[in-house]
PDB file of all heavy atoms in Angstrom:
ATOM      1  N   ARG F 220      -7.691  13.680   1.188  1.00 97.00           N
ATOM      2  CA  ARG F 220      -6.875  14.712   1.823  1.00 97.00           C
ATOM      3  C   ARG F 220      -5.384  14.494   1.540  1.00 97.00           C
ATOM      4  O   ARG F 220      -4.625  15.458   1.392  1.00 97.00           O
ATOM      5  CB  ARG F 220      -7.156  14.749   3.320  1.00 97.00           C
ATOM      6  CG  ARG F 220      -8.570  15.233   3.637  1.00 97.00           C
ATOM      7  CD  ARG F 220      -8.886  15.185   5.110  1.00 97.00           C
ATOM      8  NE  ARG F 220      -8.084  16.118   5.866  1.00 97.00           N
ATOM      9  CZ  ARG F 220      -8.140  16.232   7.199  1.00 97.00           C
ATOM     10  NH1 ARG F 220      -8.951  15.431   7.884  1.00 97.00           N
ATOM     11  NH2 ARG F 220      -7.396  17.114   7.823  1.00 97.00           N
ATOM     12  N   ALA F 221      -4.969  13.242   1.443  1.00 98.00           N
ATOM     13  CA  ALA F 221      -3.572  12.963   1.106  1.00 98.00           C
ATOM     14  C   ALA F 221      -3.220  13.475  -0.287  1.00 98.00           C
ATOM     15  O   ALA F 221      -2.091  13.913  -0.537  1.00 98.00           O
ATOM     16  CB  ALA F 221      -3.301  11.461   1.205  1.00 98.00           C
ATOM     17  N   LEU F 222      -4.184  13.431  -1.196  1.00 98.00           N
ATOM     18  CA  LEU F 222      -3.941  13.933  -2.553  1.00 98.00           C
ATOM     19  C   LEU F 222      -3.614  15.430  -2.571  1.00 98.00           C
ATOM     20  O   LEU F 222      -2.962  15.915  -3.499  1.00 98.00           O
ATOM     21  CB  LEU F 222      -5.161  13.679  -3.438  1.00 98.00           C
ATOM     22  CG  LEU F 222      -5.411  12.237  -3.876  1.00 98.00           C
ATOM     23  CD1 LEU F 222      -6.787  12.110  -4.511  1.00 98.00           C
ATOM     24  CD2 LEU F 222      -4.326  11.754  -4.831  1.00 98.00           C
ATOM     25  N   GLU F 223      -4.035  16.146  -1.561  1.00 97.00           N
ATOM     26  CA  GLU F 223      -3.770  17.579  -1.502  1.00 97.00           C
ATOM     27  C   GLU F 223      -2.294  17.900  -1.330  1.00 97.00           C
ATOM     28  O   GLU F 223      -1.881  19.052  -1.467  1.00 97.00           O
ATOM     29  CB  GLU F 223      -4.585  18.199  -0.363  1.00 97.00           C
ATOM     30  CG  GLU F 223      -6.096  18.116  -0.593  1.00 97.00           C
ATOM     31  CD  GLU F 223      -6.906  18.594   0.602  1.00 97.00           C
ATOM     32  OE1 GLU F 223      -6.314  19.208   1.522  1.00 97.00           O
ATOM     33  OE2 GLU F 223      -8.126  18.363   0.619  1.00 97.00           O
ATOM     34  N   GLN F 224      -1.481  16.897  -1.048  1.00 96.00           N
ATOM     35  CA  GLN F 224      -0.037  17.097  -0.920  1.00 96.00           C
ATOM     36  C   GLN F 224       0.662  17.224  -2.267  1.00 96.00           C
ATOM     37  O   GLN F 224       1.860  17.514  -2.313  1.00 96.00           O
ATOM     38  CB  GLN F 224       0.581  15.922  -0.145  1.00 96.00           C
ATOM     39  CG  GLN F 224       0.222  15.882   1.324  1.00 96.00           C
ATOM     40  CD  GLN F 224       0.984  16.938   2.112  1.00 96.00           C
ATOM     41  OE1 GLN F 224       1.436  17.939   1.581  1.00 96.00           O
ATOM     42  NE2 GLN F 224       1.129  16.705   3.396  1.00 96.00           N
ATOM     43  N   GLN F 225      -0.048  17.013  -3.360  1.00 96.00           N
ATOM     44  CA  GLN F 225       0.588  16.998  -4.674  1.00 96.00           C
ATOM     45  C   GLN F 225       1.434  18.242  -4.989  1.00 96.00           C
ATOM     46  O   GLN F 225       2.566  18.100  -5.465  1.00 96.00           O
ATOM     47  CB  GLN F 225      -0.471  16.763  -5.755  1.00 96.00           C
ATOM     48  CG  GLN F 225       0.101  16.575  -7.149  1.00 96.00           C
ATOM     49  CD  GLN F 225       0.203  17.904  -7.911  1.00 96.00           C
ATOM     50  OE1 GLN F 225      -0.556  18.832  -7.617  1.00 96.00           O
ATOM     51  NE2 GLN F 225       1.094  17.987  -8.860  1.00 96.00           N
ATOM     52  N   PRO F 226       0.966  19.466  -4.752  1.00 96.00           N
ATOM     53  CA  PRO F 226       1.821  20.622  -5.080  1.00 96.00           C
ATOM     54  C   PRO F 226       3.127  20.630  -4.292  1.00 96.00           C
ATOM     55  O   PRO F 226       4.187  20.955  -4.838  1.00 96.00           O
ATOM     56  CB  PRO F 226       0.931  21.821  -4.718  1.00 96.00           C
ATOM     57  CG  PRO F 226      -0.459  21.304  -4.801  1.00 96.00           C
ATOM     58  CD  PRO F 226      -0.380  19.891  -4.321  1.00 96.00           C
ATOM     59  N   ALA F 227       3.073  20.274  -3.004  1.00 96.00           N
ATOM     60  CA  ALA F 227       4.294  20.227  -2.202  1.00 96.00           C
ATOM     61  C   ALA F 227       5.240  19.149  -2.709  1.00 96.00           C
ATOM     62  O   ALA F 227       6.458  19.343  -2.773  1.00 96.00           O
ATOM     63  CB  ALA F 227       3.949  19.985  -0.734  1.00 96.00           C
ATOM     64  N   ILE F 228       4.688  17.994  -3.085  1.00 97.00           N
ATOM     65  CA  ILE F 228       5.528  16.892  -3.559  1.00 97.00           C
ATOM     66  C   ILE F 228       6.116  17.223  -4.928  1.00 97.00           C
ATOM     67  O   ILE F 228       7.260  16.860  -5.230  1.00 97.00           O
ATOM     68  CB  ILE F 228       4.717  15.580  -3.588  1.00 97.00           C
ATOM     69  CG1 ILE F 228       4.315  15.196  -2.154  1.00 97.00           C
ATOM     70  CG2 ILE F 228       5.520  14.449  -4.221  1.00 97.00           C
ATOM     71  CD1 ILE F 228       3.317  14.064  -2.076  1.00 97.00           C
ATOM     72  N   LEU F 229       5.360  17.925  -5.771  1.00 96.00           N
ATOM     73  CA  LEU F 229       5.873  18.341  -7.078  1.00 96.00           C
ATOM     74  C   LEU F 229       7.137  19.176  -6.920  1.00 96.00           C
ATOM     75  O   LEU F 229       8.115  19.010  -7.662  1.00 96.00           O
ATOM     76  CB  LEU F 229       4.800  19.137  -7.824  1.00 96.00           C
ATOM     77  CG  LEU F 229       5.175  19.656  -9.216  1.00 96.00           C
ATOM     78  CD1 LEU F 229       5.457  18.507 -10.168  1.00 96.00           C
ATOM     79  CD2 LEU F 229       4.062  20.552  -9.763  1.00 96.00           C
ATOM     80  N   GLU F 230       7.138  20.049  -5.930  1.00 96.00           N
ATOM     81  CA  GLU F 230       8.327  20.850  -5.651  1.00 96.00           C
ATOM     82  C   GLU F 230       9.420  20.006  -5.008  1.00 96.00           C
ATOM     83  O   GLU F 230      10.606  20.150  -5.323  1.00 96.00           O
ATOM     84  CB  GLU F 230       7.945  22.014  -4.727  1.00 96.00           C
ATOM     85  CG  GLU F 230       9.081  22.981  -4.450  1.00 96.00           C
ATOM     86  CD  GLU F 230       8.633  24.182  -3.642  1.00 96.00           C
ATOM     87  OE1 GLU F 230       7.430  24.325  -3.387  1.00 96.00           O
ATOM     88  OE2 GLU F 230       9.514  24.981  -3.263  1.00 96.00           O
ATOM     89  N   LEU F 231       9.023  19.107  -4.128  1.00 96.00           N
ATOM     90  CA  LEU F 231       9.972  18.288  -3.389  1.00 96.00           C
ATOM     91  C   LEU F 231      10.813  17.396  -4.292  1.00 96.00           C
ATOM     92  O   LEU F 231      12.015  17.229  -4.085  1.00 96.00           O
ATOM     93  CB  LEU F 231       9.197  17.441  -2.376  1.00 96.00           C
ATOM     94  CG  LEU F 231       9.959  16.570  -1.404  1.00 96.00           C
ATOM     95  CD1 LEU F 231      10.750  17.431  -0.419  1.00 96.00           C
ATOM     96  CD2 LEU F 231       8.995  15.653  -0.648  1.00 96.00           C
ATOM     97  N   VAL F 232      10.195  16.798  -5.313  1.00 97.00           N
ATOM     98  CA  VAL F 232      10.922  15.810  -6.127  1.00 97.00           C
ATOM     99  C   VAL F 232      12.076  16.429  -6.903  1.00 97.00           C
ATOM    100  O   VAL F 232      12.997  15.703  -7.317  1.00 97.00           O
ATOM    101  CB  VAL F 232       9.973  15.077  -7.109  1.00 97.00           C
ATOM    102  CG1 VAL F 232       8.949  14.259  -6.355  1.00 97.00           C
ATOM    103  CG2 VAL F 232       9.321  16.031  -8.096  1.00 97.00           C
ATOM    104  N   GLN F 233      12.051  17.736  -7.098  1.00 96.00           N
ATOM    105  CA  GLN F 233      13.162  18.365  -7.815  1.00 96.00           C
ATOM    106  C   GLN F 233      14.485  18.155  -7.076  1.00 96.00           C
ATOM    107  O   GLN F 233      15.557  18.155  -7.701  1.00 96.00           O
ATOM    108  CB  GLN F 233      12.897  19.871  -8.001  1.00 96.00           C
ATOM    109  CG  GLN F 233      11.559  20.199  -8.647  1.00 96.00           C
ATOM    110  CD  GLN F 233      11.334  19.483  -9.970  1.00 96.00           C
ATOM    111  OE1 GLN F 233      12.241  19.393 -10.802  1.00 96.00           O
ATOM    112  NE2 GLN F 233      10.119  18.971 -10.166  1.00 96.00           N
ATOM    113  N   ARG F 234      14.402  17.947  -5.759  1.00 96.00           N
ATOM    114  CA  ARG F 234      15.610  17.721  -4.968  1.00 96.00           C
ATOM    115  C   ARG F 234      16.172  16.313  -5.163  1.00 96.00           C
ATOM    116  O   ARG F 234      17.290  16.028  -4.730  1.00 96.00           O
ATOM    117  CB  ARG F 234      15.297  17.923  -3.481  1.00 96.00           C
ATOM    118  CG  ARG F 234      14.739  19.284  -3.127  1.00 96.00           C
ATOM    119  CD  ARG F 234      15.803  20.336  -3.059  1.00 96.00           C
ATOM    120  NE  ARG F 234      16.837  19.996  -2.091  1.00 96.00           N
ATOM    121  CZ  ARG F 234      17.870  20.786  -1.815  1.00 96.00           C
ATOM    122  NH1 ARG F 234      18.014  21.929  -2.462  1.00 96.00           N
ATOM    123  NH2 ARG F 234      18.770  20.422  -0.934  1.00 96.00           N
ATOM    124  N   TYR F 235      15.399  15.429  -5.791  1.00 97.00           N
ATOM    125  CA  TYR F 235      15.788  14.027  -5.886  1.00 97.00           C
ATOM    126  C   TYR F 235      15.967  13.546  -7.327  1.00 97.00           C
ATOM    127  O   TYR F 235      16.036  12.347  -7.570  1.00 97.00           O
ATOM    128  CB  TYR F 235      14.749  13.152  -5.172  1.00 97.00           C
ATOM    129  CG  TYR F 235      14.701  13.393  -3.675  1.00 97.00           C
ATOM    130  CD1 TYR F 235      13.867  14.369  -3.142  1.00 97.00           C
ATOM    131  CD2 TYR F 235      15.509  12.670  -2.809  1.00 97.00           C
ATOM    132  CE1 TYR F 235      13.829  14.614  -1.775  1.00 97.00           C
ATOM    133  CE2 TYR F 235      15.478  12.903  -1.441  1.00 97.00           C
ATOM    134  CZ  TYR F 235      14.640  13.877  -0.926  1.00 97.00           C
ATOM    135  OH  TYR F 235      14.610  14.119   0.428  1.00 97.00           O
ATOM    136  N   VAL F 236      16.074  14.472  -8.244  1.00 97.00           N
ATOM    137  CA  VAL F 236      16.155  14.112  -9.662  1.00 97.00           C
ATOM    138  C   VAL F 236      17.347  13.210  -9.950  1.00 97.00           C
ATOM    139  O   VAL F 236      17.278  12.306 -10.798  1.00 97.00           O
ATOM    140  CB  VAL F 236      16.207  15.382 -10.536  1.00 97.00           C
ATOM    141  CG1 VAL F 236      16.567  15.040 -11.977  1.00 97.00           C
ATOM    142  CG2 VAL F 236      14.864  16.105 -10.492  1.00 97.00           C
ATOM    143  N   PHE F 237      18.437  13.411  -9.262  1.00 96.00           N
ATOM    144  CA  PHE F 237      19.650  12.631  -9.535  1.00 96.00           C
ATOM    145  C   PHE F 237      19.824  11.462  -8.561  1.00 96.00           C
ATOM    146  O   PHE F 237      20.891  10.841  -8.523  1.00 96.00           O
ATOM    147  CB  PHE F 237      20.881  13.546  -9.513  1.00 96.00           C
ATOM    148  CG  PHE F 237      20.824  14.628 -10.559  1.00 96.00           C
ATOM    149  CD1 PHE F 237      20.536  15.942 -10.200  1.00 96.00           C
ATOM    150  CD2 PHE F 237      20.992  14.324 -11.902  1.00 96.00           C
ATOM    151  CE1 PHE F 237      20.461  16.933 -11.158  1.00 96.00           C
ATOM    152  CE2 PHE F 237      20.916  15.313 -12.868  1.00 96.00           C
ATOM    153  CZ  PHE F 237      20.641  16.617 -12.501  1.00 96.00           C
ATOM    154  N   MET F 238      18.807  11.165  -7.799  1.00 97.00           N
ATOM    155  CA  MET F 238      18.885  10.036  -6.874  1.00 97.00           C
ATOM    156  C   MET F 238      18.940   8.719  -7.636  1.00 97.00           C
ATOM    157  O   MET F 238      18.102   8.460  -8.494  1.00 97.00           O
ATOM    158  CB  MET F 238      17.674  10.050  -5.934  1.00 97.00           C
ATOM    159  CG  MET F 238      17.658   8.906  -4.930  1.00 97.00           C
ATOM    160  SD  MET F 238      16.330   9.051  -3.708  1.00 97.00           S
ATOM    161  CE  MET F 238      14.887   8.689  -4.727  1.00 97.00           C
ATOM    162  N   GLU F 239      19.919   7.891  -7.331  1.00 96.00           N
ATOM    163  CA  GLU F 239      20.069   6.577  -7.960  1.00 96.00           C
ATOM    164  C   GLU F 239      19.865   5.435  -6.970  1.00 96.00           C
ATOM    165  O   GLU F 239      19.544   4.314  -7.383  1.00 96.00           O
ATOM    166  CB  GLU F 239      21.457   6.456  -8.596  1.00 96.00           C
ATOM    167  CG  GLU F 239      21.686   7.446  -9.739  1.00 96.00           C
ATOM    168  CD  GLU F 239      23.062   7.289 -10.359  1.00 96.00           C
ATOM    169  OE1 GLU F 239      23.911   6.580  -9.756  1.00 96.00           O
ATOM    170  OE2 GLU F 239      23.292   7.874 -11.423  1.00 96.00           O
TER     171      GLU F 239
END
Side-chain angles (χ1 to χ4, degrees):
R220 293 176 66 183
L222 287 169
E223 295 174 12
Q224 290 285 23
Q225 186 269 334
I228 295 170
L229 180 63
E230 184 175 354
L231 184 67
V232 296
Q233 307 306 317
R234 302 282 302 182
Y235 294 89
V236 169
F237 299 105
M238 180 173 71
E239 296 181 348

